[in-house]
Amino acid sequence: MTATLEPTTDTGAPTPTFDSLNPANGDVVGTHAVASKADVDAAVARAREAADWWGALSFKERGEYLLTWRSVITRRLAQLADLSHRETGKPHGDAQLEIILAIDHIAWAAKHAKKVLGPQKVSSGLLMANQAATVEYNALGVVGVIGPWNYPVFTPMGSIAYALAAGNTVVFKPSEYTPGVGQWLADTFSEVVGGRPVLQVVTGLGETGNALCTAAVDKLAFTGSGATGKKVMAACAENLTPVLIEAGGKDSLIVDEDADLEKAAEAALWGGMSNAGQTCIGTERVYVHEKVFDSFVTEITRQAQGLRAGDDAGAKIGPITMPSQLKIIKRHIDDAIAKGAGVAIGGADAVGERFVQPTILTNVPENSTAITEETFGPTLAINPVASMDEAVALTNATEYGLAGAVFSGKNGMDIARRIRAGMTSVNSVIAFAGVPSLPFGGVGQSGFGRIHGPDGLKEFTYAHAITRQKFKPIMMLTSFSRDAKLDAKVASLITVMHGGKQTLK
Ligand code: NAD
């Protein structure tokens, strides 16, 4: 990814551009401008103006625009999937699946914004019984969204659709690996709203992202690595701009002794290998009850036969999108093997120039990087545990806390509740991501804040509390006319209300 200088046709002045490349073969997919600080500021200023129009629409009107956009994306699904396939390398079917999930989220946000964010009456309590109390959630204004490349539609859409449905306008900086997908999304939205700059794209590298953090945005929603997340937070701190951080993970899948091993193996294989393992909520570690460990490893190895990475139609795993990741994947595999891990499939030679063949490691020491760091490749580390207590303890022994899965016959929910993570699936993998009413996000080094669901809508608003006096208060407490007699009266009242012992129902 190198930025090259190309002259523009009108002024002859050089405008820096960069190419997005097909990671399967190095072909140029598209050439895009590197937006400067001035370009980003101008986009945010346009978004601010457009927010006057977009923010003044009713939830119903905004919802209808969003539903029209959803229909446009649905009708042009093949076109967008092809572009994503070429920019990320992921198989066409996987690109399509990601877009389908995103479409469902747009529809959910459009249909639920009014109910979640519109005015809601709340109880005003005994002391303030003369007041009517209302809370409503107002749009922040302009939201900046910075996205990664691994799910270039689904991931940023969790911020974009929810921010738009809440009444904000959006300036989106897609990853430099998937600028075409970002541009496609903005262009189609622009068609729907008659060219108004409600959703704009600024393309570029990290510097353009930094420019968005320091621009006059009212919130910055970032999805990407924790290392960049820290830079984003630091840059946003300058203007006290609030941030949402969706960062990396080291998710585990736990297999209990009474689990359906065939289904658990199928899920672990898909959770670890799909999208070439480049999934924030992908499975990287598997903890299996020792009583079924050997059977599980035999089963997953059987199911992995014939699974391979390549760019032909028969390959179910695509290339590694970001070439620099190849070194990290190799380092993790080598470290695990050097420390004594077993190799069920793949191994030291699995890492090629563009593709990584599926690799399953067993009995991987807990201090090896294949266990402690995000690998982001088609690898799984499978370890035996003596009990589910140990499985939970090892699962939680990470600085990350994004997601995970549990396979168990009887105790799935109990085990799931003990995992320190934002999302857990019982007897499936990543099912929560497809349920639009569930919040999505992590704890610890996986970030904070939530996209999706009611929490995801509220994330792009501020709560506005309003009281309206219905009648004169029986005791006027907020006045200098208050005297000692009234103070004594209110003291007795509060003693009656709160001085006694009370049991909660
Ligand atoms: P990255 O951090 O390298 O880049 C993410 C985005 O930040 C890109 O658009 C990049 O241009 C931009 N950026 C780079 N430097 C910047 C700076 N100084 N200021 C502002 N923006 C800057 O991440 P990536 O490689 O694109 O994505 C992979 C990572 O994303 C993995 O760690 C993965 O786990 C994580 N991820 C998390 C989620 C989630 O929801 N939690 C979803 C998808 C991916």
Side-chain angles (χ1 to χ4, degrees):
M1 183 85 26
T2 48
T4 51
L5 288 185
E6 284 193 359
T8 55
T9 46
D10 47 354
T11 64
T15 296
T17 60
F18 67 102
D19 295 334
S20 73
L21 306 176
N22 184 330
N25 51 29
D27 285 355
V28 174
V29 180
T31 300
H32 298 266
V34 176
S36 66
K37 173 78 182 136
D39 296 332
V40 172
D41 286 343
V44 171
R46 284 193 297 275
R48 175 81 50 206
E49 265 190 64
D52 288 344
W53 172 73
W54 182 249
L57 296 179
S58 66
F59 284 112
K60 185 168 181 289
E61 288 167 324
R62 276 194 299 267
E64 279 164 5
Y65 280 117
L66 283 163
L67 290 178
T68 305
W69 187 38
R70 164 210 62 168
S71 305
V72 170
I73 299 174
T74 308
R75 290 197 300 269
R76 300 183 200 164
L77 182 61
Q79 191 187 73
L80 181 57
D82 179 61
L83 183 53
S84 173
H85 160 68
R86 284 185 290 133
E87 284 197 325
T88 63
K90 68 176 76 186
H92 200 276
D94 288 358
Q96 175 174 295
L97 178 62
E98 177 199 340
I99 299 163
I100 286 169
L101 291 179
I103 287 169
D104 209 29
H105 277 285
I106 301 173
W108 194 92
K111 289 176 188 167
H112 291 80
K114 183 177 179 191
K115 186 162 179 248
V116 175
L117 305 176
Q120 285 152 39
K121 285 202 164 60
V122 295
S123 159
S124 43
L126 204 56
L127 275 181
M128 293 299 214
N130 67 317
Q131 301 284 341
T134 306
V135 60
E136 50 196 59
Y137 294 86
N138 297 340
L140 293 164
V142 181
V143 171
V145 175
I146 298 179
W149 46 265
N150 60 339
Y151 290 89
V153 179
F154 177 77
T155 293
M157 194 60 83
S159 296
I160 293 170
Y162 288 78
L164 290 174
N168 303 280
T169 54
V170 171
V171 178
F172 172 35
K173 206 302 267 175
S175 165
E176 51 271 46
Y177 292 93
T178 53
V181 169
Q183 192 65 57
W184 191 99
L185 292 173
D187 288 348
T188 48
F189 192 86
S190 176
E191 277 179 39
V192 168
V193 290
R196 290 183 177 90
V198 174
L199 168 61
Q200 299 171 79
V201 152
V202 286
T203 50
L205 316 184
E207 225 171 287
T208 304
N210 177 264
L212 189 54
C213 297
T214 52
V217 291
D218 299 291
K219 182 148 193 167
L220 197 294
F222 169 81
T223 310
S225 64
T228 310
K230 288 176 192 169
K231 291 184 196 160
V232 164
M233 263 184 98
C236 286
E238 225 173 89
N239 296 321
L240 213 62
T241 302
V243 290
L244 161 78
I245 304 281
E246 298 281 0
K250 190 73 192 173
D251 296 355
S252 92
L253 184 148
I254 293 174
V255 185
D256 202 353
E257 59 182 304
D258 63 349
D260 179 333
L261 293 190
E262 199 183 320
K263 291 277 175 278
E266 184 183 15
L269 195 59
W270 194 82
M273 310 293 175
S274 60
N275 210 38
Q278 305 165 114
T279 304
C280 54
I281 49 173
T283 308
E284 299 219 349
R285 301 175 291 157
V286 185
Y287 293 112
V288 186
H289 197 289
E290 61 190 9
K291 287 190 187 153
V292 294
F293 180 75
D294 290 341
S295 318
F296 179 83
V297 173
T298 306
E299 176 59 21
I300 197 168
T301 308
R302 185 189 68 76
Q303 290 188 25
Q305 295 310 312
L307 185 66
R308 62 182 173 80
D311 65 350
D312 56 295
K316 295 199 168 132
I317 298 175
I320 297 304
T321 307
M322 202 168 53
S324 57
Q325 196 66 24
L326 290 160
K327 280 201 296 288
I328 297 171
I329 301 168
K330 179 145 179 48
R331 177 163 61 76
H332 288 190
I333 296 174
D334 288 347
D335 183 54
I337 294 170
K339 288 195 166 101
V343 178
I345 61 164
D349 300 332
V351 182
E353 272 184 27
R354 295 184 186 276
F355 297 89
V356 177
Q357 296 307 325
T359 291
I360 297 180
L361 304 168
T362 56
N363 296 294
V364 184
E366 288 290 322
N367 65 350
S368 71
T369 48
I371 294 285
T372 57
E373 293 176 15
E374 187 181 50
T375 305
F376 237 50
T379 66
L380 281 173
I382 309 182
N383 285 351
V385 287
S387 64
M388 288 301 100
D389 286 349
E390 189 186 357
V392 170
L394 291 173
T395 291
N396 291 344
T398 167
E399 292 183 328
Y400 291 113
L402 194 53
V406 177
F407 276 77
S408 172
K410 285 194 305 288
N411 300 321
M413 286 301 285
D414 290 345
I415 300 166
R417 289 202 170 97
R418 295 167 61 198
I419 295 173
R420 181 180 176 269
M423 303 156 280
T424 306
S425 307
V426 176
N427 293 336
S428 67
V429 273
I430 74 161
F432 47 78
V435 179
S437 48
L438 280 176
F440 186 108
V443 291
Q445 294 298 310
S446 293
F448 50 82
R450 292 293 181 268
I451 55 172
H452 301 173
D455 303 73
L457 283 166
K458 286 184 183 169
E459 190 74 42
F460 299 104
T461 63
Y462 64 92
H464 191 184
I466 304 176
T467 53
R468 180 179 54 78
Q469 180 155 306
K470 292 186 290 186
F471 52 84
K472 246 177 73 193
I474 296 158
M475 293 185 289
M476 188 58 185
L477 302 175
T478 54
S479 163
F480 290 115
S481 68
R482 204 182 67 218
D483 55 16
K485 219 169 112 191
L486 187 55
D487 282 346
K489 228 178 178 179
V490 72
S492 324
L493 175 64
I494 205 74
T495 307
V496 171
M497 281 171 68
H498 295 297
K501 192 170 162 7
Q502 204 178 354
T503 30
L504 295 174
K505 281 183 200 131

